[in-house]
Amino acid sequence: MEELEQGLLMQPWAWLQLAENSLLAKACITKQGYALLVSDLQQVWHEQVDTSVVSQRAKELNKRLTAPPAAFLCHLDDLLRPLLKATACPGKATFSCERVAEALTLRVRSELSGLPFYWNFHCILASPSLVSQHLIRPLMGMSLALQCQVRELATLLHMKDLEIQDYQESGATLSRDRLKTEPFEENSFMEQFMVEKLPEACSVGDGRPFVMNLQSLYMAVARQEIQVGQKHQGTGAPQTSSSAPSQGTDSQLLNQPEEPVSLAPSLPEPEKEPTVPSSPVQRPQLLKVKRKKPRGLFS
């Protein structure tokens, strides 16, 4: 199922208008199953199934049709692909959606081999990690990429201003006054943009501007996320294996009461220990010698 997860992440968002419902959707269909993600900009729904679920659902909804799961998946791909690309659907397929509690059901009606074909995508609320993977992190990455692009363009404008200034100092003049521009001031430009352009520029609406204008950047950022994740998996394997023994030794040290008394600091102590018992041994010897000397003097 990892192929489905990565395939879904690499898919662009599409804008759907189903009756009164405006939705954003993306899907990935392979021979192993399908994954579908739908959002109304308030909630996000998700369904991911394998061939066993496809076969069981096909039997329940299409009792007159008998085919392997791969055939149904291929037909679903033929139906969804034109819908997500805003082109005409083959076979006069119709789509509708229904919300029940926190679930969303996307219903499909079409024909397969001359017989009616029905399918229901049963989507449940997506997990927070899935929302982060497909929306939060890519959108943050896109914002950072656009900010970097703005900085590069500002630098380029400054260089163009220096080039124009050099031409003017060399005596060059404009043949048409209407082409004359003022030197670029980044701070004043940003202030003016925030006041005049920002309200219109950040109008999300029903999500259609995001789908129409930013999907190439979205897919580039998603591709970068996958590459970074693969690099972390490649470098993270040895780290996890090496960290496991260290955790084991830490737990052993905590479980054994004698271990916390570190053995390393006690290594130099044996050198001092012989000196400590030596002093009490020498003191009795000195006392014995002193007792003998008075006897010798009086004798």
Side-chain angles (χ1 to χ4, degrees), residues 119-158:
W119 194 263
N120 296 334
F121 295 93
H122 297 291
C123 303
I124 60 175
L125 286 178
S127 64
S129 61
L130 197 66
V131 175
S132 175
Q133 183 182 24
H134 288 269
L135 283 172
I136 298 177
R137 291 186 63 87
L139 291 176
M140 291 180 68
M142 292 169 65
S143 300
L144 294 174
L146 291 174
Q147 183 184 23
C148 181
Q149 187 181 52
V150 168
R151 290 177 179 175
E152 293 289 336
L153 291 174
T155 302
L156 182 60
L157 286 174
H158 285 304

Side-chain angles (χ1 to χ4, degrees), residues 56-76:
Q56 180 63 30
R57 192 174 301 176
K59 292 179 181 179
E60 296 173 356
L61 298 176
N62 305 278
K63 297 181 179 180
R64 299 174 59 187
L65 291 173
T66 303
F72 293 114
L73 289 169
C74 182
H75 185 60
L76 289 174

Side-chain angles (χ1 to χ4, degrees), residues 153-163 183-186:
L153 291 174
T155 302
L156 182 60
L157 286 174
H158 285 304
M159 295 176 62
K160 291 292 184 182
D161 286 340
L162 294 175
E163 182 180 359
F184 178 71
E185 295 291 341
E186 185 175 358

Side-chain angles (χ1 to χ4, degrees), residues 97-218:
C97 68
E98 178 185 3
R99 304 182 195 182
V100 178
E102 295 183 345
L104 180 141
T105 302
L106 181 63
R107 305 183 186 278
V108 185
R109 295 182 181 180
S110 68
E111 291 185 359
L112 179 60
S113 300
L115 295 174
F117 175 80
Y118 303 94
W119 194 263
N120 296 334
F121 295 93
H122 297 291
C123 303
I124 60 175
L125 286 178
S127 64
S129 61
L130 197 66
V131 175
S132 175
Q133 183 182 24
H134 288 269
L135 283 172
I136 298 177
R137 291 186 63 87
L139 291 176
M140 291 180 68
M142 292 169 65
S143 300
L144 294 174
L146 291 174
Q147 183 184 23
C148 181
Q149 187 181 52
V150 168
R151 290 177 179 175
E152 293 289 336
L153 291 174
T155 302
L156 182 60
L157 286 174
H158 285 304
M159 295 176 62
K160 291 292 184 182
D161 286 340
L162 294 175
E163 182 180 359
I164 293 173
Q165 182 180 358
D166 183 70
Y167 288 149
Q168 291 175 347
E169 292 175 354
S170 300
T173 58
L174 285 174
S175 59
R176 288 168 289 184
D177 292 339
R178 63 182 179 84
L179 296 178
K180 184 177 181 180
T181 58
E182 296 297 328
F184 178 71
E185 295 291 341
E186 185 175 358
N187 292 333
S188 61
F189 170 79
M190 292 302 298
E191 291 176 359
Q192 184 179 3
F193 177 83
M194 291 294 184
V195 174
E196 298 179 1
K197 302 294 184 180
L198 184 64
E200 181 182 356
C202 67
S203 177
V204 177
D206 54 8
R208 192 170 187 177
F210 166 71
V211 170
M212 300 299 294
N213 303 321
L214 294 171
Q215 289 311 290
S216 59
L217 180 59
Y218 174 87

Side-chain angles (χ1 to χ4, degrees), residues 8-77:
L8 182 63
L9 182 59
M10 286 299 301
Q11 295 300 316
W13 287 94
W15 183 79
L16 308 179
Q17 185 66 47
L18 302 179
E20 69 279 2
N21 299 300
S22 297
L23 302 172
L24 300 182
K26 60 190 311 192
C28 178
I29 301 178
T30 67
K31 294 180 180 180
Q32 288 73 36
Y34 68 78
L36 176 66
L37 204 61
V38 182
S39 175
D40 63 351
L41 302 184
Q42 300 293 329
Q43 293 177 309
V44 181
W45 297 273
H46 174 251
E47 184 185 33
Q48 181 170 322
V49 300
D50 56 14
T51 54
S52 61
V53 178
V54 171
S55 180
Q56 180 63 30
R57 192 174 301 176
K59 292 179 181 179
E60 296 173 356
L61 298 176
N62 305 278
K63 297 181 179 180
R64 299 174 59 187
L65 291 173
T66 303
F72 293 114
L73 289 169
C74 182
H75 185 60
L76 289 174
D77 187 40

